[in-house]
């Protein structure tokens, strides 16, 4: 685990920008859905440093450490249909 030296207000800002990620960023790093991030949280595989009303904040290091865990490697990118005028196309693409 990293050690952080925070002495000034600028150090706090730098720490927050570089070392803290929200749910959206965590899902992008892991290549999974928000629901799966919530599942990891419920199973105590990913513990937030702060829980907000509509979001959670995580240490970036914790999220990156999960990237190679077996339960994260088994997740596949979600699929979505492409929307065309008049309805949904049957073709599927990875997003």
């Amino acid at each position: 685990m990293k050690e952080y030296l925070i002495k000034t207000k600028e150090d706090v800002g730098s720490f927050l920008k570089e070392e803290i990620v929200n749910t959206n960023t965590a899902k992008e790093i892991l290549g999974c859905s928000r629901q799966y991030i919530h599942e990891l949280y419920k199973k105590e595989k990913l513990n937030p440093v702060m829980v907000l009303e509509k979001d959670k904040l995580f240490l970036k290091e914790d999220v990156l450490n999960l990237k190679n865990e077996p339960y994260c490697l088994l997740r596949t990118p979600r699929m979505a249909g492409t929307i065309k005028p008049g309805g949904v196309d049957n073709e599927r693409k990875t997003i």
Side-chain angles (χ1 to χ4, degrees), residues 6 12-13 16 19 38 40 44 47 54 61 65 70 74 87:
I6 298 176
V12 172
L16 293 173
E19 302 296 334
H38 186 71
L40 290 171
E44 297 182 359
N47 298 308
K54 295 189 177 191
E61 178 182 9
N65 287 339
L74 295 175

Side-chain angles (χ1 to χ4, degrees), residues 2 4 10-21 59-61 64:
K2 285 184 181 179
Y4 304 99
E10 289 78 22
D11 292 342
V12 172
S14 293
F15 171 79
L16 293 173
K17 285 179 188 174
E18 295 171 18
E19 302 296 334
I20 301 294
V21 296
L59 280 173
K60 189 176 195 176
E61 178 182 9
L64 291 171

Side-chain angles (χ1 to χ4, degrees), residues 19-44:
E19 302 296 334
I20 301 294
V21 296
N22 67 1
T23 303
N24 226 20
T25 304
K27 80 176 183 74
E28 290 173 10
I29 291 170
L30 295 176
C32 63
S33 67
R34 289 181 68 86
Q35 291 83 358
Y36 189 63
I37 296 293
H38 186 71
E39 191 178 317
L40 290 171
Y41 162 69
K42 287 292 186 186
K43 291 180 177 180
E44 297 182 359

Side-chain angles (χ1 to χ4, degrees), residues 41-77:
Y41 162 69
K42 287 292 186 186
K43 291 180 177 180
E44 297 182 359
K45 303 274 187 200
L46 183 59
N47 298 308
V49 292
M50 184 172 216
V51 177
L52 306 172
E53 187 176 332
K54 295 189 177 191
D55 206 354
K56 294 173 186 65
L57 302 177
F58 305 97
L59 280 173
K60 189 176 195 176
E61 178 182 9
D62 292 346
V63 175
L64 291 171
N65 287 339
L66 281 178
K67 202 168 184 174
N68 295 319
E69 291 294 325
Y71 44 83
C72 282
L73 291 174
L74 295 175
R75 300 303 290 192
T76 56

